Amino acid sequence: MTITPETSKCYAAEENQNIGVDEGGLKSRHGSTISQVLQKAAGISSSFSTVTILDVAVSTNLGNVGNDSESFCYSALQTFLGQLYSLICLLCAENSIDIQCGNDVDVRILLLKEVAVDGPPEDTVQAVEDHHSVGPIVSLRRLASCGRPWQRVCSTDDEDGEIQLQLFLKLRNEALDESKGKIVIERLPSNPSHPASSTNMTASAAGDQATRVRHDAVAVGGTFDHLHVGHKLLLSMTALVINPNVQPDVNVERSLIVGITGDKLLENKKFSEHLQDWHQRQAAVQSFLLAFLVVNEPLQNLPSTMKEKQDETLGQIVKNNLPSGLVIEYVEIFDAFGPTITNESISALVLSGETRAGGEAVNSKRAEKQWASLDIFEVDVLDSAEADRDNSNHAAQDFQNKLSSTEIRRRLAKKSGTAD
């Protein structure tokens, strides 16, 4: 199941099938449908000179992935999300959907926990809703009734697609008044050679099924300039590492801390004239995380608090207090460590495979203070393996260019005529 967007110029799409993780078959099963939706969204971006938001809500049956579990299959889930984001990136490269072309699409993958179509008893449905009323895992009912201003829903034209579409519309109509419920429905050709049953997740396909314990205070850091799919995968997995609020009556502080590099450290970056300032980068990270974590509340109703520069170690701090009790902190940092060596309560760090050494350095610093080491969660670097197979060096290069903030700035410089 997939769905999509917000904002005044937004687009909505829906796909009925669970998406598997075997890389070779992912494009053949879902590439055509997703490509069609991306092209439609890109057309809207081009027509209105704005970036269209495409919310892709995907159902998955990976073990222990729900909000009600204190452990989950981290490796399998990050592989799943990584391959789906890789496919989207590849399809954008193939269809020339890009910030430089003026038709960029902001794709956000949301995770969906569906209630069966034939339905459990009503009290069971309510219990499911209680655990999936907020992200990162939400129920189909909660997604359908959230009130985000989707303008269009696209569904595959096969039987399973129609069943999911009608259920989504039924739940949406029950929850929203007519003025909010009006959306355009579009049915897209499915791939008859790959029925939905062929896409179910299996233990062998999902990779490492070992569970990892979730944490109450998790940190992640980066520059987050011109937020791209690599950043989105990193932020999504960070949100999934947070311990769920399984006992709302128990007062446990839970925090997600995002260290965002301060402007002064970036002055020597290439094409720095197209570098976003700290406030722009913080706003982009916030927008993505709130869309991922808060489905049942209008995002404009969530207050933010701002603190000015604290000291020479940490700068500005923006906070979101979510309805679930989770606090998100966006912290301006001036070194590679940030709050990981000033906040002892942090117990986990999420980082990309290429910054593994940074995690080791953080734990060395904490050891000097006789603090507990952080549990390190590594996110794979997205690669262009499928692009290499499909097309040659051109597709592979276009794919990699979309995962580089420096390359995005270079393309913007070329577009504006300021590139050397």
Side-chain angles (χ1 to χ4, degrees):
M1 168 92 188
T2 24
I3 301 194
T4 40
E6 299 162 33
T7 76
S8 59
K9 302 293 187 298
C10 62
Y11 193 85
E14 175 177 30
E15 184 179 339
N16 66 295
Q17 301 170 344
N18 290 347
I19 296 183
V21 294
D22 59 303
E23 189 173 343
L26 189 60
K27 185 181 181 185
S28 62
R29 284 197 300 271
H30 306 285
S32 176
T33 302
I34 296 176
S35 180
Q36 291 177 73
V37 175
L38 283 169
Q39 290 179 66
K40 291 176 184 295
I44 295 174
S45 294
S46 181
S47 297
F48 292 96
S49 300
T50 188
V51 176
T52 301
I53 296 175
L54 184 63
D55 293 322
V56 181
V58 185
S59 62
T60 177
N61 295 319
L62 279 170
N64 293 334
V65 73
N67 295 336
D68 49 356
S69 173
E70 294 187 4
S71 62
F72 72 125
C73 298
Y74 174 85
S75 179
L77 187 55
Q78 75 97 16
T79 299
F80 168 74
L81 281 175
Q83 291 186 355
L84 184 52
Y85 266 127
S86 291
L87 173 61
I88 289 169
C89 189
L90 172 62
L91 294 173
C92 285
E94 291 181 347
N95 290 287
S96 298
I97 298 172
D98 187 79
I99 191 170
Q100 184 181 353
C101 301
N103 65 349
D104 208 12
V105 178
D106 182 2
V107 182
R108 302 165 173 178
I109 298 175
L110 310 178
L111 293 176
L112 188 65
K113 200 76 165 180
E114 288 183 301
V115 176
V117 174
D118 49 5
E122 192 62 30
D123 57 344
T124 305
V125 172
Q126 185 59 52
V128 171
E129 291 302 314
D130 290 342
H131 280 305
H132 299 102
S133 60
V134 295
I137 316 295
V138 296
S139 67
L140 177 61
R141 182 185 299 275
R142 184 64 64 185
L143 186 70
S145 63
C146 71
R148 291 190 183 182
W150 293 309
Q151 295 177 334
R152 186 179 304 246
V153 170
C154 297
S155 176
T156 50
D157 62 1
D158 55 13
E159 181 180 359
D160 288 333
E162 189 65 24
I163 290 173
Q164 291 283 356
L165 173 63
Q166 293 305 320
L167 178 57
F168 172 80
L169 295 175
K170 176 178 180 293
L171 295 171
R172 184 175 175 85
N173 291 336
E174 288 174 354
L176 303 176
D177 60 44
E178 188 175 346
S179 64
K180 290 185 178 180
K182 289 184 178 179
I183 47 179
V184 176
I185 308 301
E186 187 168 356
R187 293 167 176 83
L188 302 174
S190 59
N191 187 345
S193 64
H194 292 283
S197 60
S198 70
T199 66
N200 290 333
M201 183 68 63
T202 63
S204 60
D208 183 5
Q209 293 293 306
T211 59
R212 298 283 300 273
V213 175
R214 285 166 159 167
H215 292 260
D216 293 328
V218 180
V220 66
T223 301
F224 300 110
D225 183 44
H226 295 286
L227 202 74
H228 53 65
V229 297
H231 297 138
K232 292 173 182 179
L233 175 61
L234 185 66
L235 291 168
S236 297
M237 293 312 303
T238 303
L240 285 159
V241 170
I242 290 287
N243 201 22
N245 189 17
V246 291
Q247 295 178 297
D249 55 331
V250 177
N251 186 19
V252 177
E253 291 189 9
R254 297 178 303 126
S255 57
L256 191 166
I257 302 167
V258 186
I260 304 174
T261 308
D263 293 339
K264 192 164 185 62
L265 291 183
L266 306 178
E267 292 176 348
N268 296 324
K269 288 278 189 180
K270 291 182 178 179
F271 311 107
S272 59
E273 66 275 18
H274 294 283
L275 184 73
Q276 295 175 314
D277 65 31
W278 189 87
H279 293 285
Q280 290 174 308
R281 291 178 284 122
Q282 182 275 322
V285 171
Q286 175 176 285
S287 176
F288 176 79
L289 279 176
L290 292 184
F292 187 66
L293 284 166
V294 186
V295 175
N296 63 324
E297 290 277 338
L299 299 185
Q300 62 269 25
N301 292 349
L302 293 173
S304 295
T305 60
M306 180 78 182
K307 291 184 179 180
E308 294 303 321
K309 183 176 178 180
Q310 305 299 296
D311 53 41
E312 293 305 314
T313 305
L314 300 178
Q316 305 168 86
I317 300 177
V318 176
K319 287 188 179 182
N320 295 133
N321 295 288
L322 305 192
S324 63
L326 175 67
V327 177
I328 306 179
E329 294 187 8
Y330 313 89
V331 183
E332 183 182 16
I333 58 175
F334 305 119
D335 57 31
F337 302 102
T340 60
I341 62 170
T342 61
N343 184 344
E344 186 178 3
S345 69
I346 297 173
S347 58
L349 176 65
V350 182
L351 44 73
S352 67
E354 58 192 1
T355 59
R356 184 181 302 131
E360 296 171 355
V362 165
N363 276 335
S364 294
K365 286 281 189 181
R366 288 177 67 92
E368 291 175 7
K369 296 187 170 196
Q370 297 184 329
W371 289 2
S373 295
L374 300 182
D375 192 4
I376 304 297
F377 289 79
E378 195 170 304
V379 173
D380 292 339
V381 178
L382 300 183
D383 65 62
S384 58
E386 190 148 0
D388 290 333
R389 282 195 299 271
D390 280 356
N391 262 325
S392 74
N393 293 333
H394 179 69
Q397 186 60 50
D398 284 351
F399 177 97
Q400 294 298 343
N401 288 346
K402 293 182 182 300
L403 297 174
S404 166
S405 296
T406 301
E407 179 58 26
I408 292 171
R409 294 195 301 273
R410 186 197 67 79
R411 295 200 304 276
L412 288 172
K414 180 179 179 181
K415 184 179 180 180
S416 66
T418 59
D420 293 335

